[in-house]
Amino acid sequence: MAKVTIKNLYKRYGKVEAVKGINLECEDKEFLCLLGPSGCGKSSTLRMIAGLEDITSGEITIDGVRVNNIHPSKRDIAMVFETYALYPHKTVFKNMSYPLRIRKLSKSEILTRVQRAAEILEITDLMDRYPRELSGGQKQRVAIGRAIVRNPKVFLMDEPISHLDAKLRAHMRGELKHLQKELSQTFIYVTHDQLEAMSMADRIAVMNHGLLQQYDSPHNIFNQPANQFVAGFVGDPPMNFIECILTVEDGWKLKHDEFELSLEDKVQQKVQAQTPQFSGALNVTLGIRPESITIKREKTKPNEIAGQVYITEPLGSDLIVDVTVGQERLKIKTTSSFEGDRGAKVFLEMVPDKIHLFDAQTSKSLM
Ligand SMILES: Nc1ncnc2c1ncn2[C@@H]1O[C@H](COP(=O)(O)OP(=O)(O)OP(=O)(O)O)[C@@H](O)[C@H]1O
Ligand SMILES: [Mg+2]
């Protein structure tokens, strides 16, 4: 059992307020990702859970026990860093067994635990090598192995694979997710890479400027972002945003210099539920993901928006088309069979139920 609860957590470094009142509950056996841009307070939060950093105010509990003043070594957690922090003059076996030797476990117990961890990580044949004889991915496995042998209640990982090359990173994502299910332990994992968080986490805590923006499943983070920041942070290429005016004069419409869109009943109902007082006009930001826009060479429906191809970016099976609509530039994800050179006239259809609307002032979702 290892449930981690964070209540009203603050971290100040002198004048810098790095974490500003975070509340989170990570369930036992859950894979939680802390996701956000550089400097948003992810590492500070993780280091306070680990006990490597003092808590300015607030409370952290592990299985109901307040750990604020408990020494890191007594919290029963293991932390894996981006820099593997392996001992260069010790073999892989010695590196992995080190935490057990300092705890004075018996030789046979040490051997069993290291072997088991090495099997899980598929590094049994590397036991006699030195760190300098290992690839980046292998070193990272050894560092994780050293955490596994201790059998901690909670694994904390701070960008453990962010410096590996793209192919190895993609491989390690699958491996880490598999490992977490295999060990059936609580993982709290820090990353600034939305793809990592989306592909591995049970739940994602999106942070920005020391504040929690949304804490939800990857599906809901992607499909029901709470605000414009979350919407723009997940997804690649990112969501397109267009400033519009929402009016209800003659039916619910989005008005823009270049186009006018009637909103579907479903969208209307959602917005109405969020803004019951609304009548007249409201400044909003329309959000639409590149994959939720259909691009064509001929106009076939009234709701379609005219634009011009700015540039195309072929990605193998997919094609990203940059289209200008007046002063706006939109990205559309389509298949490689689309044909349209620079300057070609095109028509865009936004998939009606994939539209997001944000309050232009507060940037909160209106849906
Ligand atoms: N020891 C420190 N002294 C002063 N300021 C610090 C210290 N550690 C972090 N900060 C500041 O606190 C804020 C949050 O830092 P933190 O390391 O938690 O961010 P992060 O989300 O992990 O970023 P990154 O993705 O770059 O690792 C930043 O503005 C950072 O400059
Ligand atoms: Mg960090």
Side-chain angles (χ1 to χ4, degrees):
M1 270 286 289
K3 176 175 171 161
V4 180
T5 309
I6 297 173
K7 282 189 201 144
N8 216 10
L9 189 69
Y10 280 82
K11 179 69 196 179
R12 259 176 237 113
Y13 303 97
K15 280 190 187 139
V16 179
E17 211 168 35
V19 178
K20 304 173 191 167
I22 296 255
N23 290 286
L24 276 180
E25 277 195 357
C26 175
E27 297 298 333
D28 183 34
K29 301 184 180 33
E30 183 165 347
F31 197 139
L32 161 65
C33 274
L34 299 179
L35 172 69
S38 182
C40 74
K42 306 178 296 290
S43 296
S44 299
T45 304
L46 198 74
R47 291 172 64 83
M48 285 190 276
I49 301 171
L52 300 173
E53 206 69 72
D54 287 338
I55 293 169
T56 304
S57 69
E59 185 179 78
I60 298 176
T61 64
I62 300 177
D63 283 342
V65 177
R66 189 176 195 267
V67 297
N68 287 41
N69 301 316
I70 296 181
H71 191 266
S73 64
K74 300 268 159 38
R75 292 190 189 190
D76 206 0
I77 48 170
M79 186 140 167
V80 180
F81 300 91
E82 179 182 358
T83 55
Y84 328 101
L86 298 178
Y87 301 105
H89 304 299
K90 290 186 200 295
T91 62
V92 168
F93 180 83
K94 285 264 164 73
N95 263 288
M96 282 174 65
S97 57
Y98 184 71
L100 304 180
R101 276 185 287 132
I102 53 171
R103 285 207 252 159
K104 305 224 178 339
L105 265 68
S106 73
K107 268 201 170 138
S108 65
E109 175 70 15
I110 291 175
L111 196 63
T112 312
R113 287 208 197 181
V114 174
Q115 257 167 1
R116 164 102 183 102
E119 275 162 24
I120 291 173
L121 294 163
E122 295 176 19
I123 49 172
T124 43
D125 53 338
L126 303 178
M127 288 296 120
D128 299 326
R129 293 216 202 155
Y130 288 89
R132 64 173 180 277
E133 299 168 329
L134 302 174
S135 71
Q138 289 168 333
K139 278 185 215 164
Q140 195 50 270
R141 280 162 200 244
V142 176
I144 293 166
R146 195 170 52 181
I148 293 178
V149 294
R150 290 174 41 199
N151 197 22
K153 271 189 182 172
V154 186
F155 283 86
L156 304 179
M157 302 199 176
D158 195 346
E159 313 238 14
I161 59 174
S162 59
H163 60 292
L164 302 179
D165 68 52
K167 199 171 164 199
L168 193 51
R169 233 172 26 236
H171 175 69
M172 287 301 286
R173 283 203 301 269
E175 295 291 304
L176 282 170
K177 189 169 182 178
H178 177 78
L179 176 71
Q180 192 261 342
K181 300 294 169 221
E182 178 99 1
L183 296 173
S184 199
Q185 298 273 44
T186 309
F187 271 43
I188 304 181
Y189 186 105
V190 161
T191 181
H192 64 271
D193 180 344
Q194 54 98 21
L195 188 62
E196 256 176 50
M198 292 295 286
S199 60
M200 294 196 293
D202 295 316
R203 277 194 294 174
I204 302 176
V206 184
M207 293 176 69
N208 193 27
H209 298 309
L211 293 167
L212 186 63
Q213 304 291 316
Q214 190 170 359
Y215 182 34
D216 217 325
S217 65
H219 181 272
N220 288 350
I221 294 273
F222 189 80
N223 293 296
Q224 290 154 34
N227 57 40
Q228 202 178 330
F229 175 80
V230 175
F233 200 75
V234 298
D236 183 34
M239 188 183 278
N240 297 294
F241 295 117
I242 310 165
E243 303 293 324
C244 295
I245 294 170
L246 177 66
T247 70
V248 291
E249 291 155 15
D250 46 349
W252 285 60
K253 279 190 185 144
L254 282 176
K255 290 192 173 166
H256 182 273
D257 288 347
E258 299 293 326
F259 61 87
E260 210 175 273
L261 282 181
S262 302
L263 290 187
E264 279 215 322
D265 290 352
K266 258 199 304 195
V267 178
Q268 281 181 32
Q269 282 155 14
K270 282 193 206 164
V271 178
Q272 215 156 14
Q274 291 293 316
T275 55
Q277 323 291 345
F278 172 60
S279 68
L282 185 68
N283 288 327
V284 296
T285 306
L286 159 68
I288 183 95
R289 294 200 184 277
E291 56 274 29
S292 307
I293 303 177
T294 323
I295 184 167
K296 308 165 200 186
R297 296 301 306 273
E298 306 290 333
K299 189 173 171 81
T300 53
K301 293 180 195 163
N303 242 358
E304 286 168 357
I305 301 165
Q308 257 192 341
V309 174
Y310 180 75
I311 202 75
T312 54
E313 306 169 51
L315 301 174
S317 58
D318 292 330
L319 179 72
I320 309 296
V321 188
D322 290 39
V323 173
T324 46
V325 175
Q327 301 294 310
E328 314 283 352
R329 175 92 54 77
L330 307 181
K331 279 190 190 290
I332 293 106
K333 192 172 183 177
T334 184
T335 54
S336 55
S337 60
F338 172 82
E339 281 175 28
D341 291 332
R342 228 156 69 84
K345 200 163 183 201
V346 289
F347 295 91
L348 309 177
E349 186 192 4
M350 302 194 188
V351 180
D353 61 349
K354 297 284 185 188
I355 281 176
H356 296 264
L357 288 178
F358 304 95
D359 186 315
Q361 240 101 60
T362 64
S363 92
K364 284 200 178 122
S365 174
L366 290 169
M367 305 178 69

